[in-house]
Amino acid sequence: MSGEDLPEVILLADGRGERPENAAGAGDFWYEPEIWSSPLSPPARVLYAGLCSFAGHGEINRQDLRNLLKGAGDGEILRALGELSEEGLLEPVPGGYRIRSVRERGS
């Protein structure tokens, strides 16, 4: 996302592929536990896991983003989104992001 304001709604597309056997979560709401051992900042790790849990909804709203990173301002959330994009875990698409697999990032 460009700009300094956190949008009201961010669209999410799931580009992670099939759910792996070691996935954490239930049903369509899952994430890869490898995120916790990645070199990302703690806010980016938490945000990634949270975005994955919302992927089945196809969107996440501003309040849910703020709830994921309790105590974080919009600037910190935007920095975490940027870090995930730079690491190849989020691919910008119109209105939002495509979530990519932890195991396939950078490819």
Side-chain angles (χ1 to χ4, degrees):
M1 308 265 67
S2 59
E4 296 182 22
D5 294 328
L6 194 58
E8 182 60 38
V9 174
I10 294 175
L11 301 177
L12 299 173
D14 193 347
R16 297 173 294 166
E18 290 187 35
R19 178 188 169 115
E21 287 187 27
N22 71 334
D28 290 338
F29 307 102
W30 59 273
Y31 67 89
E32 298 159 290
E34 293 89 348
I35 193 64
W36 303 120
S37 60
S38 74
L40 297 168
S41 69
R45 288 185 223 155
V46 170
L47 188 59
Y48 178 81
L51 290 172
C52 288
S53 73
F54 278 85
H57 292 295
E59 66 183 33
I60 187 168
N61 66 44
R62 182 183 326 165
Q63 190 58 46
D64 288 329
L65 283 168
R66 290 174 177 157
N67 288 337
L68 289 173
L69 293 180
K70 294 193 185 312
D74 290 0
E76 187 171 355
I77 295 168
L78 289 167
R79 281 191 294 281
L81 288 168
E83 183 179 350
L84 292 170
S85 291
E86 289 171 10
E87 292 296 320
L89 292 171
L90 293 181
E91 177 186 346
V93 297
Y97 297 100
R98 177 181 282 71
I99 303 169
R100 299 187 63 212
S101 170
V102 171
R103 289 166 287 149
E104 297 174 5
R105 74 175 183 215
S107 61

